[in-house]
Each structure stands twice: as structure tokens, then as C-alpha cells.
Amino acid sequence: DGGITQSPKYLFRKEGQNVTLSCEQNLNHDAMYWYRQDPGQGLRLIYYSQIVNDFQKGDIAEGYSVSREKKESFPLTVTSAQKNPTAFYLCASSMRRAYGYTFGSGTRLTVV
Amino acid sequence: ILNVEQSPQSLHVQEGDSTNFTCSFPSSNFYALHWYRWETAKSPEALFVMTLNGDEKKKGRISATLNTKEGYSYLYIKGSQPEDSATYLCASDSNYQLIWGAGTKLIIKP
């Protein structure tokens, strides 16, 4: 079955460390997105990519980095520059504008 | 930054009753309005994507309407069932980005 796989489900990071969250899709979707969710807030866009080897900053890109070397993969690195990284992270993909998004099951990152 | 507001924040409904909730969004540069259902421990699931003013979409017992001129959409659930318990998210697409509401958490009481 086609879908999006995020790993790991839970991740613990020490302060000062970089950590990479994985997102893989086999839906042949061109666009991929990373969102962050904090309690009581809507999803906020970190980065998005409309095509391989191209990506754009979202509303809260500071302290994060991404790459899009393959259509299927859009990993997110949370760097030590991100001041408040503890959150729930969702990856999504879509075929094109005005099509619904397909979401992964998320990664909960906790800084210890 | 454009704001998308959802109300109420949470809602308790008796099984079998019908219910509805609201998504308000800026009407300028509107392109599409998305509704998603997000059950606990699962991924958000797309319900509807609506683009035309006055449009109404239906999926089983769930339906949605859209008013792009005044900037609101209603989601209706007829005859609520326990499996309808979830957080319902809406998102407005303008300028090629989705702006998300914080969601309405629906709890169905048996």
C-alpha cells in the first residue's frame, strides 16, 4: 500500500545535538512538507519542497534544515540552533495544489 | 500571517445527535479550503478539499459547506457515532501555503 513513513516514532535528544527525522513516501507525490505541532496551536510549516533538489522555508524554518535528493525522501534535521525543539513533527505529501495531503504518523521529539 | 480560526475548541456530543462546527478564514487570495480528521495515535486523514463558493461536499454522514465571500466553512456530522471522536482540522490554501486552524476536538458520549 502507498503511504508515508516517518521514523522514529519517539526521539530523545540531548541539548546541543543535531538530530534527523526521516520521511519517506511511495505515492509518487511531487510535493512534501514538514510541520510542527505544539499544544493548542495549528500545524506550522517548517519547510516544503515542490520538486527534487528544491525546497523553500516555511514560517518557522530557523534552526531546521532539509534536503530533497530523491523524490521519495525529505529528511528534516533539527539543529542545536533550534531553541525549543520539543514538539510533535508531521511530514506530509501531495500530488499537486488543491489535492488533499497524505500525512505520516509523526515523530515526537523530546529534548532532555 | 493569515489566521484560520476554528470553533468551538472542543465539543461533547451524545451518540446519535447531529453536530456542526466552524472554520473561519481570510477570504482574500482564497484558493482552497481543506478539512481533515485526526484520530488519536493515527495520521490526519483528508476529508474534503473545497474550492468553489457555495460548494457542498458529502462523505457518508459528514458534509461540509463553503462560503468564500464571507470566509467560513461548516462541517456537519449527522447521527454521531463513537468512531467520529477525533480532532477536526481545517486549513486555508492561499498563496500556495496551507494555514491551519488549531482544530475542534469532538468527543462522542455513548
mmCIF file of all heavy atoms in Angstrom, chain B residues 1-48:
data_model
loop_
_atom_site.group_PDB
_atom_site.id
_atom_site.type_symbol
_atom_site.label_atom_id
_atom_site.label_comp_id
_atom_site.label_asym_id
_atom_site.label_seq_id
_atom_site.Cartn_x
_atom_site.Cartn_y
_atom_site.Cartn_z
ATOM 1 N N ILE B 1 0.908 37.152 8.561
ATOM 2 C CA ILE B 1 0.421 35.773 8.602
ATOM 3 C C ILE B 1 -1.101 35.783 8.690
ATOM 4 O O ILE B 1 -1.675 36.512 9.457
ATOM 5 C CB ILE B 1 1.007 35.003 9.808
ATOM 6 C CG1 ILE B 1 2.512 34.882 9.680
ATOM 7 C CG2 ILE B 1 0.373 33.619 9.918
ATOM 8 C CD1 ILE B 1 3.164 34.187 10.850
ATOM 9 N N LEU B 2 -1.744 34.954 7.857
ATOM 10 C CA LEU B 2 -3.196 34.869 7.871
ATOM 11 C C LEU B 2 -3.622 33.935 8.984
ATOM 12 O O LEU B 2 -2.956 32.955 9.278
ATOM 13 C CB LEU B 2 -3.680 34.318 6.526
ATOM 14 C CG LEU B 2 -3.188 35.062 5.292
ATOM 15 C CD1 LEU B 2 -3.599 34.329 4.039
ATOM 16 C CD2 LEU B 2 -3.705 36.482 5.270
ATOM 17 N N ASN B 3 -4.767 34.210 9.597
ATOM 18 C CA ASN B 3 -5.251 33.368 10.681
ATOM 19 C C ASN B 3 -6.461 32.565 10.254
ATOM 20 O O ASN B 3 -7.369 33.081 9.607
ATOM 21 C CB ASN B 3 -5.621 34.226 11.887
ATOM 22 C CG ASN B 3 -4.389 34.777 12.578
ATOM 23 O OD1 ASN B 3 -3.364 34.114 12.638
ATOM 24 N ND2 ASN B 3 -4.485 35.981 13.073
ATOM 25 N N VAL B 4 -6.468 31.299 10.628
ATOM 26 C CA VAL B 4 -7.609 30.425 10.449
ATOM 27 C C VAL B 4 -8.105 30.069 11.844
ATOM 28 O O VAL B 4 -7.332 29.599 12.680
ATOM 29 C CB VAL B 4 -7.215 29.161 9.673
ATOM 30 C CG1 VAL B 4 -8.368 28.172 9.634
ATOM 31 C CG2 VAL B 4 -6.777 29.531 8.257
ATOM 32 N N GLU B 5 -9.376 30.330 12.103
ATOM 33 C CA GLU B 5 -9.948 30.111 13.419
ATOM 34 C C GLU B 5 -10.973 28.995 13.351
ATOM 35 O O GLU B 5 -11.812 28.960 12.443
ATOM 36 C CB GLU B 5 -10.642 31.392 13.916
ATOM 37 C CG GLU B 5 -9.747 32.620 13.942
ATOM 38 C CD GLU B 5 -8.738 32.578 15.060
ATOM 39 O OE1 GLU B 5 -8.932 31.813 16.029
ATOM 40 O OE2 GLU B 5 -7.721 33.321 14.976
ATOM 41 N N GLN B 6 -10.927 28.099 14.337
ATOM 42 C CA GLN B 6 -11.927 27.035 14.416
ATOM 43 C C GLN B 6 -12.667 27.135 15.742
ATOM 44 O O GLN B 6 -12.065 27.391 16.782
ATOM 45 C CB GLN B 6 -11.267 25.658 14.310
ATOM 46 C CG GLN B 6 -10.748 25.372 12.909
ATOM 47 C CD GLN B 6 -10.285 23.940 12.761
ATOM 48 O OE1 GLN B 6 -9.088 23.672 12.623
ATOM 49 N NE2 GLN B 6 -11.239 23.012 12.777
ATOM 50 N N SER B 7 -13.967 26.925 15.669
ATOM 51 C CA SER B 7 -14.765 26.948 16.898
ATOM 52 C C SER B 7 -15.872 25.901 16.817
ATOM 53 O O SER B 7 -16.392 25.616 15.733
ATOM 54 C CB SER B 7 -15.361 28.340 17.118
ATOM 55 O OG SER B 7 -16.232 28.668 16.050
ATOM 56 N N PRO B 8 -16.219 25.302 17.994
ATOM 57 C CA PRO B 8 -15.548 25.518 19.266
ATOM 58 C C PRO B 8 -14.217 24.782 19.326
ATOM 59 O O PRO B 8 -13.889 24.011 18.431
ATOM 60 C CB PRO B 8 -16.546 24.935 20.268
ATOM 61 C CG PRO B 8 -17.199 23.824 19.515
ATOM 62 C CD PRO B 8 -17.297 24.314 18.089
ATOM 63 N N GLN B 9 -13.485 24.997 20.400
ATOM 64 C CA GLN B 9 -12.204 24.308 20.581
ATOM 65 C C GLN B 9 -12.447 22.823 20.857
ATOM 66 O O GLN B 9 -11.706 21.955 20.410
ATOM 67 C CB GLN B 9 -11.465 24.952 21.740
ATOM 68 C CG GLN B 9 -9.986 24.664 21.802
ATOM 69 C CD GLN B 9 -9.306 25.547 22.829
ATOM 70 O OE1 GLN B 9 -9.855 25.782 23.919
ATOM 71 N NE2 GLN B 9 -8.148 26.061 22.500
ATOM 72 N N SER B 10 -13.496 22.519 21.643
ATOM 73 C CA SER B 10 -13.862 21.132 21.909
ATOM 74 C C SER B 10 -15.373 21.032 22.056
ATOM 75 O O SER B 10 -16.045 22.039 22.318
ATOM 76 C CB SER B 10 -13.166 20.608 23.159
ATOM 77 O OG SER B 10 -13.606 21.306 24.303
ATOM 78 N N LEU B 11 -15.865 19.831 21.871
ATOM 79 C CA LEU B 11 -17.303 19.621 21.790
ATOM 80 C C LEU B 11 -17.622 18.208 22.268
ATOM 81 O O LEU B 11 -17.016 17.245 21.793
ATOM 82 C CB LEU B 11 -17.706 19.793 20.324
ATOM 83 C CG LEU B 11 -19.140 19.884 19.894
ATOM 84 C CD1 LEU B 11 -19.860 20.984 20.638
ATOM 85 C CD2 LEU B 11 -19.192 20.126 18.394
ATOM 86 N N HIS B 12 -18.555 18.102 23.214
ATOM 87 C CA HIS B 12 -19.055 16.795 23.661
ATOM 88 C C HIS B 12 -20.455 16.617 23.099
ATOM 89 O O HIS B 12 -21.328 17.468 23.308
ATOM 90 C CB HIS B 12 -19.096 16.721 25.193
ATOM 91 C CG HIS B 12 -17.734 16.663 25.823
ATOM 92 N ND1 HIS B 12 -16.879 17.737 25.869
ATOM 93 C CD2 HIS B 12 -17.066 15.634 26.421
ATOM 94 C CE1 HIS B 12 -15.762 17.389 26.476
ATOM 95 N NE2 HIS B 12 -15.844 16.129 26.812
ATOM 96 N N VAL B 13 -20.668 15.517 22.412
ATOM 97 C CA VAL B 13 -21.958 15.267 21.755
ATOM 98 C C VAL B 13 -22.437 13.875 22.128
ATOM 99 O O VAL B 13 -21.649 12.917 22.167
ATOM 100 C CB VAL B 13 -21.796 15.385 20.229
ATOM 101 C CG1 VAL B 13 -23.067 14.981 19.507
ATOM 102 C CG2 VAL B 13 -21.415 16.809 19.843
ATOM 103 N N GLN B 14 -23.720 13.765 22.384
ATOM 104 C CA GLN B 14 -24.311 12.456 22.692
ATOM 105 C C GLN B 14 -24.381 11.610 21.422
ATOM 106 O O GLN B 14 -24.721 12.123 20.336
ATOM 107 C CB GLN B 14 -25.708 12.668 23.262
ATOM 108 C CG GLN B 14 -26.298 11.478 23.989
ATOM 109 C CD GLN B 14 -25.586 11.197 25.300
ATOM 110 O OE1 GLN B 14 -25.230 12.114 26.032
ATOM 111 N NE2 GLN B 14 -25.370 9.924 25.579
ATOM 112 N N GLU B 15 -24.075 10.334 21.555
ATOM 113 C CA GLU B 15 -24.193 9.422 20.414
ATOM 114 C C GLU B 15 -25.584 9.515 19.803
ATOM 115 O O GLU B 15 -26.592 9.508 20.519
ATOM 116 C CB GLU B 15 -23.915 7.989 20.864
ATOM 117 C CG GLU B 15 -23.973 6.968 19.739
ATOM 118 C CD GLU B 15 -23.633 5.558 20.220
ATOM 119 O OE1 GLU B 15 -23.200 5.408 21.387
ATOM 120 O OE2 GLU B 15 -23.801 4.609 19.429
ATOM 121 N N GLY B 16 -25.632 9.622 18.501
ATOM 122 C CA GLY B 16 -26.900 9.717 17.788
ATOM 123 C C GLY B 16 -27.301 11.141 17.449
ATOM 124 O O GLY B 16 -28.107 11.362 16.528
ATOM 125 N N ASP B 17 -26.752 12.117 18.175
ATOM 126 C CA ASP B 17 -27.069 13.512 17.880
ATOM 127 C C ASP B 17 -26.253 13.982 16.684
ATOM 128 O O ASP B 17 -25.193 13.449 16.372
ATOM 129 C CB ASP B 17 -26.762 14.411 19.078
ATOM 130 C CG ASP B 17 -27.763 14.225 20.205
ATOM 131 O OD1 ASP B 17 -28.790 13.510 19.987
ATOM 132 O OD2 ASP B 17 -27.527 14.783 21.294
ATOM 133 N N SER B 18 -26.742 15.026 16.062
ATOM 134 C CA SER B 18 -26.008 15.666 14.974
ATOM 135 C C SER B 18 -25.282 16.892 15.511
ATOM 136 O O SER B 18 -25.694 17.477 16.520
ATOM 137 C CB SER B 18 -26.957 16.049 13.846
ATOM 138 O OG SER B 18 -27.537 14.887 13.292
ATOM 139 N N THR B 19 -24.234 17.288 14.850
ATOM 140 C CA THR B 19 -23.439 18.412 15.327
ATOM 141 C C THR B 19 -22.794 19.146 14.159
ATOM 142 O O THR B 19 -22.764 18.637 13.025
ATOM 143 C CB THR B 19 -22.358 17.939 16.320
ATOM 144 O OG1 THR B 19 -21.725 19.083 16.890
ATOM 145 C CG2 THR B 19 -21.312 17.076 15.632
ATOM 146 N N ASN B 20 -22.283 20.339 14.434
ATOM 147 C CA ASN B 20 -21.546 21.060 13.411
ATOM 148 C C ASN B 20 -20.552 21.997 14.073
ATOM 149 O O ASN B 20 -20.714 22.369 15.241
ATOM 150 C CB ASN B 20 -22.483 21.835 12.481
ATOM 151 C CG ASN B 20 -23.226 22.943 13.206
ATOM 152 O OD1 ASN B 20 -22.712 24.036 13.371
ATOM 153 N ND2 ASN B 20 -24.429 22.650 13.673
ATOM 154 N N PHE B 21 -19.516 22.338 13.339
ATOM 155 C CA PHE B 21 -18.546 23.310 13.827
ATOM 156 C C PHE B 21 -18.000 24.122 12.667
ATOM 157 O O PHE B 21 -18.258 23.816 11.504
ATOM 158 C CB PHE B 21 -17.430 22.664 14.658
ATOM 159 C CG PHE B 21 -17.115 21.251 14.326
ATOM 160 C CD1 PHE B 21 -16.134 20.950 13.408
ATOM 161 C CD2 PHE B 21 -17.791 20.204 14.941
ATOM 162 C CE1 PHE B 21 -15.815 19.645 13.109
ATOM 163 C CE2 PHE B 21 -17.483 18.888 14.639
ATOM 164 C CZ PHE B 21 -16.498 18.605 13.717
ATOM 165 N N THR B 22 -17.268 25.176 13.031
ATOM 166 C CA THR B 22 -16.968 26.240 12.080
ATOM 167 C C THR B 22 -15.477 26.419 11.849
ATOM 168 O O THR B 22 -14.668 26.246 12.753
ATOM 169 C CB THR B 22 -17.524 27.580 12.607
ATOM 170 O OG1 THR B 22 -18.897 27.419 12.917
ATOM 171 C CG2 THR B 22 -17.349 28.697 11.589
ATOM 172 N N CYS B 23 -15.156 26.784 10.629
ATOM 173 C CA CYS B 23 -13.799 27.201 10.279
ATOM 174 C C CYS B 23 -13.900 28.575 9.615
ATOM 175 O O CYS B 23 -14.612 28.716 8.615
ATOM 176 C CB CYS B 23 -13.175 26.190 9.323
ATOM 177 S SG CYS B 23 -11.563 26.679 8.665
ATOM 178 N N SER B 24 -13.223 29.567 10.161
ATOM 179 C CA SER B 24 -13.196 30.911 9.582
ATOM 180 C C SER B 24 -11.822 31.182 9.006
ATOM 181 O O SER B 24 -10.808 30.877 9.640
ATOM 182 C CB SER B 24 -13.508 31.964 10.647
ATOM 183 O OG SER B 24 -14.770 31.730 11.212
ATOM 184 N N PHE B 25 -11.791 31.784 7.837
ATOM 185 C CA PHE B 25 -10.518 32.005 7.165
ATOM 186 C C PHE B 25 -10.569 33.330 6.408
ATOM 187 O O PHE B 25 -11.646 33.814 6.048
ATOM 188 C CB PHE B 25 -10.222 30.849 6.201
ATOM 189 C CG PHE B 25 -11.316 30.599 5.202
ATOM 190 C CD1 PHE B 25 -11.321 31.253 3.985
ATOM 191 C CD2 PHE B 25 -12.347 29.710 5.488
ATOM 192 C CE1 PHE B 25 -12.337 31.035 3.068
ATOM 193 C CE2 PHE B 25 -13.366 29.485 4.581
ATOM 194 C CZ PHE B 25 -13.363 30.150 3.367
ATOM 195 N N PRO B 26 -9.407 33.928 6.155
ATOM 196 C CA PRO B 26 -9.388 35.168 5.373
ATOM 197 C C PRO B 26 -9.861 34.880 3.952
ATOM 198 O O PRO B 26 -9.443 33.904 3.331
ATOM 199 C CB PRO B 26 -7.920 35.586 5.400
ATOM 200 C CG PRO B 26 -7.335 34.862 6.561
ATOM 201 C CD PRO B 26 -8.086 33.566 6.655
ATOM 202 N N SER B 27 -10.735 35.738 3.437
ATOM 203 C CA SER B 27 -11.304 35.496 2.110
ATOM 204 C C SER B 27 -10.423 36.024 0.975
ATOM 205 O O SER B 27 -10.637 35.666 -0.187
ATOM 206 C CB SER B 27 -12.699 36.118 2.012
ATOM 207 O OG SER B 27 -12.652 37.474 2.394
ATOM 208 N N SER B 28 -9.413 36.824 1.303
ATOM 209 C CA SER B 28 -8.550 37.350 0.243
ATOM 210 C C SER B 28 -7.589 36.271 -0.246
ATOM 211 O O SER B 28 -7.105 35.451 0.530
ATOM 212 C CB SER B 28 -7.759 38.555 0.763
ATOM 213 O OG SER B 28 -6.951 38.182 1.853
ATOM 214 N N ASN B 29 -7.301 36.272 -1.547
ATOM 215 C CA ASN B 29 -6.382 35.298 -2.161
ATOM 216 C C ASN B 29 -6.784 33.850 -1.892
ATOM 217 O O ASN B 29 -5.938 32.969 -1.881
ATOM 218 C CB ASN B 29 -4.942 35.510 -1.677
ATOM 219 C CG ASN B 29 -4.402 36.859 -2.085
ATOM 220 O OD1 ASN B 29 -4.641 37.309 -3.203
ATOM 221 N ND2 ASN B 29 -3.705 37.515 -1.187
ATOM 222 N N PHE B 30 -8.062 33.595 -1.716
ATOM 223 C CA PHE B 30 -8.502 32.235 -1.406
ATOM 224 C C PHE B 30 -8.312 31.331 -2.617
ATOM 225 O O PHE B 30 -8.604 31.712 -3.752
ATOM 226 C CB PHE B 30 -9.972 32.235 -0.982
ATOM 227 C CG PHE B 30 -10.521 30.855 -0.800
ATOM 228 C CD1 PHE B 30 -10.333 30.176 0.385
ATOM 229 C CD2 PHE B 30 -11.207 30.228 -1.828
ATOM 230 C CE1 PHE B 30 -10.825 28.895 0.558
ATOM 231 C CE2 PHE B 30 -11.710 28.934 -1.677
ATOM 232 C CZ PHE B 30 -11.512 28.278 -0.475
ATOM 233 N N TYR B 31 -7.840 30.106 -2.341
ATOM 234 C CA TYR B 31 -7.729 29.123 -3.413
ATOM 235 C C TYR B 31 -8.505 27.851 -3.064
ATOM 236 O O TYR B 31 -9.244 27.314 -3.879
ATOM 237 C CB TYR B 31 -6.259 28.788 -3.694
ATOM 238 C CG TYR B 31 -6.086 27.848 -4.852
ATOM 239 C CD1 TYR B 31 -6.082 28.313 -6.163
ATOM 240 C CD2 TYR B 31 -5.940 26.479 -4.645
ATOM 241 C CE1 TYR B 31 -5.954 27.447 -7.236
ATOM 242 C CE2 TYR B 31 -5.799 25.606 -5.715
ATOM 243 C CZ TYR B 31 -5.808 26.097 -7.003
ATOM 244 O OH TYR B 31 -5.674 25.239 -8.061
ATOM 245 N N ALA B 32 -8.321 27.338 -1.847
ATOM 246 C CA ALA B 32 -8.993 26.103 -1.455
ATOM 247 C C ALA B 32 -9.090 26.011 0.062
ATOM 248 O O ALA B 32 -8.297 26.615 0.790
ATOM 249 C CB ALA B 32 -8.260 24.876 -1.999
ATOM 250 N N LEU B 33 -10.059 25.250 0.534
ATOM 251 C CA LEU B 33 -10.257 25.001 1.963
ATOM 252 C C LEU B 33 -10.233 23.498 2.169
ATOM 253 O O LEU B 33 -10.956 22.757 1.488
ATOM 254 C CB LEU B 33 -11.591 25.609 2.411
ATOM 255 C CG LEU B 33 -11.921 25.751 3.919
ATOM 256 C CD1 LEU B 33 -12.343 24.445 4.548
ATOM 257 C CD2 LEU B 33 -10.787 26.401 4.683
ATOM 258 N N HIS B 34 -9.371 23.058 3.098
ATOM 259 C CA HIS B 34 -9.218 21.626 3.375
ATOM 260 C C HIS B 34 -9.819 21.298 4.737
ATOM 261 O O HIS B 34 -9.671 22.061 5.694
ATOM 262 C CB HIS B 34 -7.730 21.259 3.452
ATOM 263 C CG HIS B 34 -6.960 21.419 2.187
ATOM 264 N ND1 HIS B 34 -6.256 20.379 1.613
ATOM 265 C CD2 HIS B 34 -6.783 22.479 1.365
ATOM 266 C CE1 HIS B 34 -5.652 20.794 0.527
ATOM 267 N NE2 HIS B 34 -5.959 22.070 0.344
ATOM 268 N N TRP B 35 -10.449 20.119 4.846
ATOM 269 C CA TRP B 35 -10.874 19.548 6.124
ATOM 270 C C TRP B 35 -10.193 18.189 6.307
ATOM 271 O O TRP B 35 -10.144 17.382 5.367
ATOM 272 C CB TRP B 35 -12.391 19.336 6.163
ATOM 273 C CG TRP B 35 -13.193 20.549 6.471
ATOM 274 C CD1 TRP B 35 -13.909 21.314 5.584
ATOM 275 C CD2 TRP B 35 -13.414 21.138 7.756
ATOM 276 N NE1 TRP B 35 -14.552 22.341 6.249
ATOM 277 C CE2 TRP B 35 -14.267 22.249 7.586
ATOM 278 C CE3 TRP B 35 -12.985 20.833 9.058
ATOM 279 C CZ2 TRP B 35 -14.695 23.064 8.633
ATOM 280 C CZ3 TRP B 35 -13.404 21.635 10.107
ATOM 281 C CH2 TRP B 35 -14.248 22.729 9.888
ATOM 282 N N TYR B 36 -9.711 17.967 7.543
ATOM 283 C CA TYR B 36 -9.061 16.707 7.888
ATOM 284 C C TYR B 36 -9.636 16.186 9.198
ATOM 285 O O TYR B 36 -10.016 16.964 10.075
ATOM 286 C CB TYR B 36 -7.539 16.892 8.060
ATOM 287 C CG TYR B 36 -6.822 17.149 6.763
ATOM 288 C CD1 TYR B 36 -6.841 18.406 6.188
ATOM 289 C CD2 TYR B 36 -6.170 16.128 6.089
ATOM 290 C CE1 TYR B 36 -6.204 18.650 4.981
ATOM 291 C CE2 TYR B 36 -5.524 16.358 4.881
ATOM 292 C CZ TYR B 36 -5.555 17.623 4.341
ATOM 293 O OH TYR B 36 -4.940 17.855 3.143
ATOM 294 N N ARG B 37 -9.613 14.870 9.349
ATOM 295 C CA ARG B 37 -9.968 14.232 10.614
ATOM 296 C C ARG B 37 -8.706 13.608 11.169
ATOM 297 O O ARG B 37 -7.997 12.892 10.446
ATOM 298 C CB ARG B 37 -11.035 13.160 10.408
ATOM 299 C CG ARG B 37 -11.330 12.348 11.683
ATOM 300 C CD ARG B 37 -12.531 11.470 11.513
ATOM 301 N NE ARG B 37 -12.374 10.564 10.393
ATOM 302 C CZ ARG B 37 -13.390 10.005 9.756
ATOM 303 N NH1 ARG B 37 -14.622 10.279 10.112
ATOM 304 N NH2 ARG B 37 -13.181 9.168 8.773
ATOM 305 N N TRP B 38 -8.439 13.836 12.467
ATOM 306 C CA TRP B 38 -7.217 13.341 13.091
ATOM 307 C C TRP B 38 -7.608 12.587 14.350
ATOM 308 O O TRP B 38 -7.900 13.168 15.389
ATOM 309 C CB TRP B 38 -6.290 14.492 13.429
ATOM 310 C CG TRP B 38 -4.893 14.077 13.764
ATOM 311 C CD1 TRP B 38 -4.404 12.798 13.839
ATOM 312 C CD2 TRP B 38 -3.804 14.930 14.066
ATOM 313 N NE1 TRP B 38 -3.069 12.819 14.154
ATOM 314 C CE2 TRP B 38 -2.673 14.114 14.297
ATOM 315 C CE3 TRP B 38 -3.651 16.307 14.153
ATOM 316 C CZ2 TRP B 38 -1.426 14.645 14.611
ATOM 317 C CZ3 TRP B 38 -2.417 16.837 14.466
ATOM 318 C CH2 TRP B 38 -1.319 16.011 14.698
ATOM 319 N N GLU B 39 -7.572 11.246 14.222
ATOM 320 C CA GLU B 39 -7.868 10.399 15.371
ATOM 321 C C GLU B 39 -6.593 10.193 16.174
ATOM 322 O O GLU B 39 -5.488 10.172 15.608
ATOM 323 C CB GLU B 39 -8.398 9.040 14.900
ATOM 324 C CG GLU B 39 -9.729 9.130 14.179
ATOM 325 C CD GLU B 39 -10.189 7.765 13.723
ATOM 326 O OE1 GLU B 39 -10.485 6.920 14.593
ATOM 327 O OE2 GLU B 39 -10.263 7.531 12.502
ATOM 328 N N THR B 40 -6.779 9.986 17.454
ATOM 329 C CA THR B 40 -5.636 9.799 18.360
ATOM 330 C C THR B 40 -4.782 8.626 17.877
ATOM 331 O O THR B 40 -5.315 7.578 17.494
ATOM 332 C CB THR B 40 -6.145 9.531 19.780
ATOM 333 O OG1 THR B 40 -6.962 10.634 20.178
ATOM 334 C CG2 THR B 40 -4.989 9.386 20.748
ATOM 335 N N ALA B 41 -3.482 8.819 17.876
ATOM 336 C CA ALA B 41 -2.487 7.800 17.516
ATOM 337 C C ALA B 41 -2.525 7.422 16.029
ATOM 338 O O ALA B 41 -1.927 6.420 15.630
ATOM 339 C CB ALA B 41 -2.643 6.542 18.366
ATOM 340 N N LYS B 42 -3.223 8.212 15.226
ATOM 341 C CA LYS B 42 -3.234 7.965 13.778
ATOM 342 C C LYS B 42 -2.774 9.210 13.040
ATOM 343 O O LYS B 42 -2.544 10.259 13.621
ATOM 344 C CB LYS B 42 -4.640 7.574 13.325
ATOM 345 C CG LYS B 42 -5.123 6.246 13.883
ATOM 346 C CD LYS B 42 -6.458 5.851 13.251
ATOM 347 C CE LYS B 42 -6.916 4.509 13.769
ATOM 348 N NZ LYS B 42 -8.228 4.110 13.153
ATOM 349 N N SER B 43 -2.661 9.081 11.712
ATOM 350 C CA SER B 43 -2.293 10.226 10.876
ATOM 351 C C SER B 43 -3.541 11.017 10.519
ATOM 352 O O SER B 43 -4.619 10.444 10.392
ATOM 353 C CB SER B 43 -1.647 9.741 9.576
ATOM 354 O OG SER B 43 -0.598 8.841 9.825
ATOM 355 N N PRO B 44 -3.408 12.341 10.345
ATOM 356 C CA PRO B 44 -4.560 13.101 9.830
ATOM 357 C C PRO B 44 -5.007 12.532 8.489
ATOM 358 O O PRO B 44 -4.184 12.169 7.645
ATOM 359 C CB PRO B 44 -3.994 14.517 9.670
ATOM 360 C CG PRO B 44 -2.830 14.578 10.604
ATOM 361 C CD PRO B 44 -2.250 13.200 10.616
ATOM 362 N N GLU B 45 -6.335 12.500 8.310
ATOM 363 C CA GLU B 45 -6.922 11.912 7.110
ATOM 364 C C GLU B 45 -7.722 12.980 6.378
ATOM 365 O O GLU B 45 -8.554 13.662 6.993
ATOM 366 C CB GLU B 45 -7.833 10.758 7.517
ATOM 367 C CG GLU B 45 -8.665 10.170 6.404
ATOM 368 C CD GLU B 45 -9.839 9.354 6.932
ATOM 369 O OE1 GLU B 45 -9.949 9.219 8.167
ATOM 370 O OE2 GLU B 45 -10.642 8.877 6.124
ATOM 371 N N ALA B 46 -7.474 13.124 5.090
ATOM 372 C CA ALA B 46 -8.190 14.142 4.317
ATOM 373 C C ALA B 46 -9.672 13.791 4.204
ATOM 374 O O ALA B 46 -10.033 12.652 3.895
ATOM 375 C CB ALA B 46 -7.578 14.263 2.924
ATOM 376 N N LEU B 47 -10.534 14.768 4.476
ATOM 377 C CA LEU B 47 -11.982 14.606 4.311
ATOM 378 C C LEU B 47 -12.447 15.288 3.025
ATOM 379 O O LEU B 47 -13.056 14.669 2.165
ATOM 380 C CB LEU B 47 -12.727 15.208 5.501
ATOM 381 C CG LEU B 47 -12.632 14.483 6.830
ATOM 382 C CD1 LEU B 47 -13.289 15.303 7.928
ATOM 383 C CD2 LEU B 47 -13.275 13.102 6.732
ATOM 384 N N PHE B 48 -12.198 16.591 2.941
ATOM 385 C CA PHE B 48 -12.667 17.358 1.794
ATOM 386 C C PHE B 48 -11.633 18.407 1.404
ATOM 387 O O PHE B 48 -10.931 18.943 2.243
ATOM 388 C CB PHE B 48 -13.971 18.108 2.116
ATOM 389 C CG PHE B 48 -15.080 17.253 2.657
ATOM 390 C CD1 PHE B 48 -15.496 17.390 3.971
ATOM 391 C CD2 PHE B 48 -15.710 16.318 1.854
ATOM 392 C CE1 PHE B 48 -16.504 16.610 4.481
ATOM 393 C CE2 PHE B 48 -16.735 15.536 2.356
ATOM 394 C CZ PHE B 48 -17.129 15.679 3.677
#
